[in-house]
Amino acid sequence: MDSLLTEIDHVAIAVYDLEAAIAWYAEVFGADVVHREIVASDGVEEALIRVADSYVQLLTPTREDSPVGKYLAAKGEGLHHVAYRVVDCAVALAAVKASGARVIDDAPRPGSRNTTVAFIHPKASFSTLIELVQEN
Ligand code: CO
């Protein structure tokens, strides 16, 4: 069987201060932000830095009770999730569910950049929060 995962879409890093993180990537690596977006439904603001065909996604909460806000309060800054690109998010999510793994999103939903996404519960995946990303 061919892998359902086609690329790393992004590696997400939770930070307290988005501007400081953006400035650090620019200063240290000369890396520029190619996209910024507030995802109100998730309570986050993101800044994407392109690395080849993938991104580093710097994430900061827009409210304390958002999932990323709670994550920062509990664990502090650092790696938050890994996002794999898939051709069809619904097909990939169905395969995950068929395997018996626990999911966070029961159905695909809109992500940033006009993508379709679904999260797999970290309990199912060796304590790594995984996001499936379909580009539309
Ligand atoms: Co993500």
Side-chain angles (χ1 to χ4, degrees):
M1 169 178 128
D2 288 338
S3 173
L4 292 166
L5 312 178
T6 61
E7 305 243 20
I8 300 222
D9 186 82
H10 60 271
V11 171
I13 299 166
V15 301
Y16 292 117
D17 183 339
L18 193 59
E19 303 310 323
I22 290 167
W24 189 86
Y25 271 84
E27 228 175 271
V28 176
F29 300 121
D32 290 330
V33 168
V34 294
H35 181 80
R36 281 185 78 146
E37 187 168 337
I38 291 173
V39 184
S41 53
D42 286 337
V44 295
E45 179 169 9
E46 70 172 42
L48 292 178
I49 290 164
R50 186 182 271 285
V51 182
D53 289 330
S54 305
Y55 302 97
V56 174
Q57 179 185 66
L58 303 171
L59 273 183
T60 203
T62 55
R63 48 173 206 271
E64 277 178 22
D65 66 343
S66 67
V68 174
K70 288 180 189 161
Y71 179 92
L72 277 175
K75 300 196 168 168
E77 293 180 305
L79 190 61
H80 184 261
H81 64 273
V82 177
Y84 299 117
R85 215 167 279 155
V86 295
V87 174
D88 185 322
C89 192
V91 167
L93 185 63
V96 172
K97 287 161 79 173
S99 80
R102 205 167 139 193
V103 295
I104 292 175
D105 295 305
D106 208 47
R109 61 184 178 86
S112 65
R113 288 177 289 140
N114 187 36
T115 57
T116 301
V117 305
F119 281 88
I120 300 169
H121 199 283
K123 284 241 158 73
S125 49
F126 309 94
S127 299
T128 309
L129 178 58
I130 291 177
E131 179 182 14
L132 304 171
V133 178
Q134 173 189 336
E135 291 184 313
N136 293 304

